[in-house]
């Protein structure tokens, strides 16, 4: 087992100005996610505002194994949470030094394809290195002659957002196998990634399975591609009022060890099921190895639906 490596800012007492800058950094991402949505831009990825976003929670990135740039990767990201904050901060910006931890890799965060139909927003999110989570787009990226492409997929998607309850770790994964087929078609290694704290930065109104409210959420998702959620955070100027500013809860994104996958242009169901099972086992092991160091009680287990 490799030694975990992490890049994080030094721990110091924060001035009032620093706290305000961090709140602005966190809030601007919320507004971007809700209302704003170029081509990939290293200038955008290295903007100082992302370091304020990182420090607000704070967000950390932990490496557990080498990911050599002589091959491609499909990273499964869990859980989705409300806004995938940890994944954007760690993979779509350089606030935690992704390029230093994983030299030679080119990360692509795959998001809802419908977002790319919106003018202006489309160009903005593309500047981060975001791409549509569609077969055509992902096949194109993994077919590039330059190796080291790392596609990051929120496997649970919009459905998993409905289970983003603080303190719970419920993943939509049992029937999600498209990312495994993608890896097999291109011979890309599978990498489990878990973001501890992702579900804790907002409060969520969860509706019971089978209720009319839950049915409405699922129906909306089928029509529009995403699930409407009732969530809230704290106020921008007061920690005791409600608003859209996330709660400052630590987020730790742990990148697991790669699972070698052979290239199969037309993978069989048996092959897909085999590597899907290997992936689920590796993800559960990753969770168990790091949960206590990330503040999760030892008795807590992952739940797969």
């Amino acid at each position: 087992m490799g030694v975990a490596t992490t890049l994080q800012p030094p721990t110091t007492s924060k001035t009032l100005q620093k706290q305000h800058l961090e709140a602005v950094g966190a809030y601007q991402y919320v507004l971007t996610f809700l209302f704003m949505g170029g081509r990939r831009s290293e200038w955008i990825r290295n903007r100082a505002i992302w370091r304020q976003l990182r420090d607000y929670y704070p967000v950390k990135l932990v490496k557990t194994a080498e990911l050599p740039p002589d091959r491609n990767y499909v990273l499964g990201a869990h859980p989705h949470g409300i806004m995938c904050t940890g994944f954007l901060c760690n993979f779509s910006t350089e606030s935690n030094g992704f390029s230093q931890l994983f030299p030679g890799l080119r990360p692509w965060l795959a998001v809802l394809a419908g977002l790319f139909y919106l003018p202006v927003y489309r160009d903005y999110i593309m500047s981060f290195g975001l791409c549509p989570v569609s077969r055509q787009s992902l096949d194109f990226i993994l077919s590039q002659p330059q190796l080291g492409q790392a596609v990051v997929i929120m496997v649970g998607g919009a459905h998993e957002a409905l289970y983003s309850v603080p303190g719970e770790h419920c993943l939509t994964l049992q029937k999600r196998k498209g990312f495994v087929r993608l890896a097999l078609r291109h011979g890309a290694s599978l990498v489990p990634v878990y973001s501890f704290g992702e579900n804790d930065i907002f409060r969520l109104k969860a509706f019971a399975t089978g209720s009319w409210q839950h049915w409405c959420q699922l129906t909306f998702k089928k029509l529009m591609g995403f699930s409407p959620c009732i969530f809230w955070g704290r106020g921008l100027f007061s920690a005791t009022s409600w608003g859209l500013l996330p709660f400052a809860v630590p987020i730790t994104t742990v990148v697991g060890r790669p699972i070698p996958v052979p290239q199969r242009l037309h993978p069989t169901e048996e092959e897909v099921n085999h590597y899907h099972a290997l992936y689920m086992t590796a993800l559960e092991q990753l969770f168990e190895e790091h949960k206590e160091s990330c503040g999760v009680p030892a008795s807590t287990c992952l739940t797969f639906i």
Side-chain angles (χ1 to χ4, degrees):
M1 181 175 65
V3 178
T5 304
T6 180
L7 289 181
Q8 54 184 286
T11 302
T12 58
S13 57
K14 299 179 181 179
T15 65
L16 186 60
Q17 181 184 24
K18 173 65 172 170
Q19 293 177 41
H20 288 163
L21 286 173
E22 291 175 3
V24 170
Y27 203 64
Q28 67 89 30
Y29 171 60
V30 173
L31 296 179
T32 295
F33 184 93
L34 293 177
F35 304 115
M36 277 293 294
R39 295 296 182 262
R40 186 187 185 98
S41 167
E42 292 306 315
W43 179 79
I44 292 290
R45 288 173 54 85
N46 283 278
R47 286 177 61 200
I49 194 69
W50 304 126
R51 294 190 288 276
Q52 305 299 340
L53 170 66
R54 172 200 66 192
D55 294 344
Y56 174 76
Y57 295 96
V59 178
K60 300 177 183 178
L61 178 61
V62 176
K63 169 185 177 180
T64 63
E66 295 294 333
L67 299 183
D70 61 352
R71 68 202 69 175
N72 292 332
Y73 299 91
V74 173
L75 284 69
H78 315 268
H80 183 283
I82 298 295
M83 295 186 181
C84 320
T85 302
F87 302 121
L88 179 130
C89 189
N90 285 316
F91 297 119
S92 295
T93 82
E94 287 294 332
S95 60
N96 267 327
F98 178 90
S99 296
Q100 298 177 48
L101 280 176
F102 302 100
L105 292 193
R106 189 175 177 85
W108 300 91
L109 188 62
V111 298
L112 184 67
L115 297 176
F116 292 85
Y117 295 119
L118 304 175
V120 181
Y121 187 74
R122 172 192 60 209
D123 299 305
Y124 184 64
I125 62 177
M126 286 178 70
S127 67
F128 290 90
L130 272 63
C131 67
V133 63
S134 64
R135 175 169 178 169
Q136 180 181 10
S137 175
L138 300 180
D139 280 342
F140 176 79
I141 291 173
L142 293 176
S143 297
Q144 296 300 301
Q146 180 183 353
L147 297 177
Q149 308 295 334
V151 173
V152 184
I153 301 176
M154 265 75 68
V155 179
H159 187 270
E160 195 169 87
L162 299 177
Y163 301 92
S164 302
V165 178
E168 295 189 8
H169 301 269
C170 182
L171 305 183
T172 304
L173 183 57
Q174 285 186 343
K175 298 181 180 180
R176 299 291 175 101
K177 301 179 182 179
F179 72 106
V180 178
R181 291 188 178 89
L182 174 70
L184 280 164
R185 286 199 305 272
H186 295 276
S189 296
L190 286 166
V191 182
V193 181
Y194 200 87
S195 202
F196 295 90
E198 189 70 52
N199 283 347
D200 301 327
I201 63 175
F202 286 108
R203 300 295 178 262
L204 175 75
K205 174 60 178 177
F207 297 107
T209 302
S211 66
W212 68 268
Q213 298 98 328
H214 189 257
W215 178 86
C216 288
Q217 288 177 315
L218 295 181
T219 302
F220 190 92
K221 174 183 171 294
K222 290 180 180 179
L223 295 174
M224 302 299 295
F226 65 95
S227 305
C229 299
I230 299 176
F231 66 92
W232 64 94
R234 50 155 290 184
L236 181 59
F237 301 107
S238 171
T240 59
S241 62
W242 69 272
L244 289 177
L245 183 64
F247 296 105
V249 179
I251 299 175
T252 303
T253 303
V254 184
V255 181
R257 293 177 286 278
I259 303 169
V261 175
Q263 185 170 18
R264 299 286 188 269
L265 295 180
H266 303 286
T268 65
E269 283 303 309
E270 289 76 16
E271 289 173 323
V272 171
N273 291 337
H274 172 72
Y275 285 99
H276 184 263
L278 288 180
Y279 179 86
M280 290 184 66
T281 300
L283 176 61
E284 191 165 20
Q285 182 180 357
L286 182 72
F287 179 84
E288 292 296 326
E289 289 176 356
H290 294 273
K291 63 181 181 182
E292 291 185 68
S293 64
C294 294
V296 177
S299 59
T300 304
C301 297
L302 277 180
T303 303
F304 297 115
I305 58 174

